[in-house]
Amino acid sequence: MEIAVYCGKVYSWTDEICKHKVRLPVLNYNSVIEWISSRGERAFLIFGTDVIPYTLYDYPNKPINETDIFKFMERGGTVIWVGDTPFYYVDKNGVKEEIFSKGNPFPFVPKNFERKPMSKNSENTIVGEILEYNPKESWRPVGANPSLIPISITEKERGGEMLYSTWIYRYGKGRFVRVYDSPYVNVDYVLSLPGKLSNLGIGVRIRNYRRLSDFKMILPNFKIGVIMGKNNVGKTSVLEAIAMLDTNNVSKIRAFRGRISDQIAETELFLNNEYYRIEFSDASSTRIGDARILLIYSSNANPTVTYEPSILRKVTELLSEFDPNIFYVYLSAGNELRVLFNDKTDVSINELGYGYKSLLNFILSYVVYQPKIILIDDLEGFALHPELLKQFYDFLLKLDVDLILITTQSSDVYAYLAEKRSDNVRFILINDGKYEVLSSEEVLDRMDYEDLRYTALKISNEVH
């Protein structure tokens, strides 16, 4: 990770960072171009003065995407900006010129150009919580935009427009990070941002959904997470609140629960550099981001789908990884799903053992929906034999998905997964709004003398 600070001769609102004795390379009008031209991924350029130098942004003489600062972001570099509106002014050899009226490089426009706060209050999104940002009054918020990851938002009236006070704009492989959209700047925080941005993990926040009045988890990056806790602590509710980010799950949750929510609930998810948010109730929903999520209740795992030949060929291929004796999965003339084995045995799916049937239905659902997130409630309900369960975990670890969350009350379910010793696995113990996250090695170390299902009952400290 390389970090440098740009300090120009002119500024609009702030030069606080440049007044500090920073232990980083400090670049000027001319040296910044040499530094930025040879860097990309894992490089951070912090603007200590909030006027862009013409050496980096010679617009309109060059198209925006051909300016050096945007080429830096295209290669994977990160720009951190504080103070006045980004790209509003340009510094041409020490002379400040307004160029925003000639062209805005962003697909959004600030909602306020007056020299006064638009909102005295703003609050963090789950991304702001991950970044430990301290939100301040907002002077230059922008409207919600799918190209932005919000860090903090302005408080809004019910039904009013949501505005992003601070945000991350994704461009190419890189990003433009906008914090402190006011004359106020916390220098120490800004200088710490490269480290925080380099370690962005997974964030979940759920409000007003069943028992979860304001529940949040800030997690490291992993692929499979196993959630454990006592009955009625909210394990299933966590999965359902996340599943609501995909409209395909609404009817499934309503059928299982009888209703969604009498009050307006909210879910935020930050995963794999994508931000998702939904406000929902029985009556309506408003969402940001398009998530593909497969929710499976083990007590109701049968998919209701149409089986195209291409789907059944893929299902056969995946199921053969568990049992090489399978020749083909097909749909009979009577529209019945059947399995043909190499020895010519031909059976209906309903004649298979419960565990085998659960596995086949899971693979069918996965192939049909092609989800990026998979949520399985009570995996022990699949009734998989220990050897088949171990194979199932190997299968899950190879799937092309961003996240798999599993709830369980079974020691076998968590113990066999821990034995895989995978860095892509974590175990989440929750109790009364608190949680603890363990690695496979930590679980294996504890298993000799404690049962994690009982450990979860004792969690009362702050987040681990």
Side-chain angles (χ1 to χ4, degrees):
M1 181 171 65
E2 292 185 87
I3 310 170
V5 176
Y6 168 75
C7 290
K9 294 181 179 179
V10 296
Y11 63 93
S12 176
W13 280 354
T14 180
D15 64 345
E16 291 299 312
I17 295 172
C18 295
K19 292 178 181 177
H20 272 58
K21 294 181 180 179
V22 296
R23 296 180 180 178
L24 296 168
V26 177
L27 309 173
N28 60 29
Y29 184 87
N30 294 309
S31 63
V32 66
I33 186 64
E34 180 181 350
W35 188 91
I36 207 173
S37 298
S38 59
R39 287 163 176 84
E41 288 190 63
R42 293 190 57 77
F44 294 81
L45 179 59
I46 299 172
F47 275 81
T49 46
D50 54 355
V51 174
I52 192 86
Y54 189 71
T55 48
L56 292 185
Y57 188 65
D58 43 349
Y59 176 83
N61 287 339
K62 282 185 182 178
I64 288 167
N65 64 329
E66 293 183 15
T67 61
D68 285 279
I69 193 165
F70 276 86
K71 289 196 290 185
F72 169 67
M73 288 188 284
E74 181 72 38
R75 294 191 299 270
T78 297
V79 174
I80 297 175
W81 185 280
V82 300
D84 209 348
T85 304
F87 300 99
Y88 195 94
Y89 297 107
V90 67
D91 173 1
K92 285 190 176 181
N93 292 309
V95 178
K96 183 171 69 173
E97 295 183 14
E98 187 273 311
I99 61 166
F100 198 78
S101 58
K102 298 178 182 178
N104 176 12
F106 298 127
F108 48 85
V109 180
K111 294 292 184 178
N112 177 40
F113 286 103
E114 296 184 32
R115 193 173 175 82
K116 63 180 182 180
M118 184 169 181
S119 174
K120 291 284 188 180
N121 299 300
S122 59
E123 63 178 29
N124 274 343
T125 64
I126 190 60
V127 181
E129 294 294 292
I130 297 172
L131 292 174
E132 301 176 302
Y133 183 68
N134 183 15
K136 299 294 181 181
E137 62 183 21
S138 181
W139 290 48
R140 301 286 191 259
V142 302
N145 188 289
S147 64
L148 295 177
I149 299 170
I151 297 173
S152 65
I153 61 175
T154 62
E155 292 186 348
K156 60 186 189 310
E157 299 293 332
R158 175 168 291 195
E161 183 183 10
M162 177 188 292
L163 300 178
Y164 295 174
S165 301
T166 56
W167 38 263
I168 301 171
Y169 173 61
R170 293 163 294 187
Y171 185 86
K173 296 179 180 179
R175 55 200 167 179
F176 188 100
V177 182
R178 200 287 195 254
V179 290
Y180 298 119
D181 64 329
S182 70
Y184 172 88
V185 175
N186 183 323
V187 175
D188 291 335
Y189 178 79
V190 174
L191 296 176
S192 75
L193 254 184
K196 297 180 188 299
L197 290 164
S198 297
N199 294 301
L200 278 173
I202 300 168
V204 179
R205 179 155 60 191
I206 301 164
R207 289 171 167 163
N208 301 323
Y209 185 68
R210 306 196 186 280
R211 290 180 57 87
L212 307 173
S213 59
D214 191 0
F215 178 72
K216 66 180 178 182
M217 294 190 295
I218 297 173
L219 307 167
N221 285 309
F222 56 78
K223 185 170 184 177
I224 301 179
V226 178
I227 302 175
M228 290 175 279
K230 63 185 178 182
N231 292 334
N232 204 36
V233 78
K235 301 186 300 297
T236 301
S237 296
V238 169
L239 301 193
E240 290 174 339
I242 295 172
M244 283 297 297
L245 292 164
D246 184 338
T247 55
N248 290 320
N249 293 310
V250 174
S251 59
K252 188 181 298 184
I253 296 171
R254 184 172 279 121
F256 186 76
R257 290 285 199 177
R259 62 182 179 86
I260 300 295
S261 177
D262 293 331
Q263 59 184 330
I264 295 178
E266 177 186 329
T267 303
E268 286 182 283
L269 173 66
F270 179 73
L271 173 66
N272 198 22
N273 288 314
E274 295 285 343
Y275 175 77
Y276 309 95
R277 183 180 183 277
I278 183 170
E279 288 186 357
F280 61 94
S281 68
D282 271 325
S284 64
S285 65
T286 303
R287 63 176 38 81
I288 295 170
D290 184 19
R292 295 202 315 277
I293 302 175
L294 173 61
L295 170 64
I296 295 178
Y297 295 109
S298 62
S299 60
N300 185 25
N302 295 339
T304 54
V305 294
T306 302
Y307 306 120
E308 301 293 337
S310 60
I311 288 173
L312 295 179
R313 283 194 295 271
K314 184 63 176 178
V315 169
T316 301
E317 175 189 330
L318 295 177
L319 198 58
S320 297
E321 295 183 20
F322 295 88
D323 187 349
N325 295 315
I326 289 175
F327 181 72
Y328 199 58
V329 179
Y330 72 99
L331 204 60
S332 71
N335 210 36
E336 180 184 47
L337 197 63
R338 300 185 68 85
V339 181
L340 178 64
F341 291 86
N342 287 330
D343 63 1
K344 308 304 181 185
T345 302
D346 188 341
V347 300
S348 164
I349 184 175
N350 294 318
E351 297 173 31
L352 296 171
Y354 194 87
Y356 215 98
K357 182 179 177 181
S358 298
L359 178 63
L360 176 53
N361 281 325
F362 173 83
I363 292 175
L364 275 167
S365 297
Y366 170 74
V367 173
V368 169
Y369 292 117
Q370 290 294 295
K372 299 305 292 181
I373 300 171
I374 297 174
L375 308 171
I376 304 174
D377 189 42
D378 286 334
L379 178 58
E380 58 267 30
F382 276 34
L384 301 177
H385 184 275
E387 287 304 315
L388 190 55
L389 180 59
K390 293 175 184 179
Q391 285 181 277
F392 185 62
Y393 285 144
D394 289 332
F395 177 75
L396 293 181
L397 285 165
K398 291 188 294 184
L399 288 183
D400 181 22
V401 297
D402 293 332
L403 180 66
I404 300 169
L405 290 179
I406 296 165
T407 68
T408 187
Q409 293 285 14
S410 166
S411 58
D412 284 351
V413 168
Y414 78 75
Y416 287 130
L417 184 56
E419 288 173 359
K420 296 296 177 183
R421 299 178 185 272
S422 172
D423 289 337
N424 277 324
V425 174
R426 291 294 185 273
F427 300 83
I428 306 163
L429 313 183
I430 66 174
N431 184 42
D432 295 332
K434 304 292 191 300
Y435 67 95
E436 182 176 1
V437 183
L438 301 175
S439 67
S440 294
E441 293 298 331
E442 289 170 323
V443 169
L444 292 171
D445 288 343
R446 293 189 183 196
M447 277 172 48
D448 289 338
Y449 61 88
E450 64 180 318
D451 186 324
L452 292 186
R453 295 171 297 177
Y454 289 97
T455 306
L457 301 179
K458 297 181 289 185
I459 294 174
S460 59
N461 297 323
E462 291 302 313
V463 170
H464 286 62

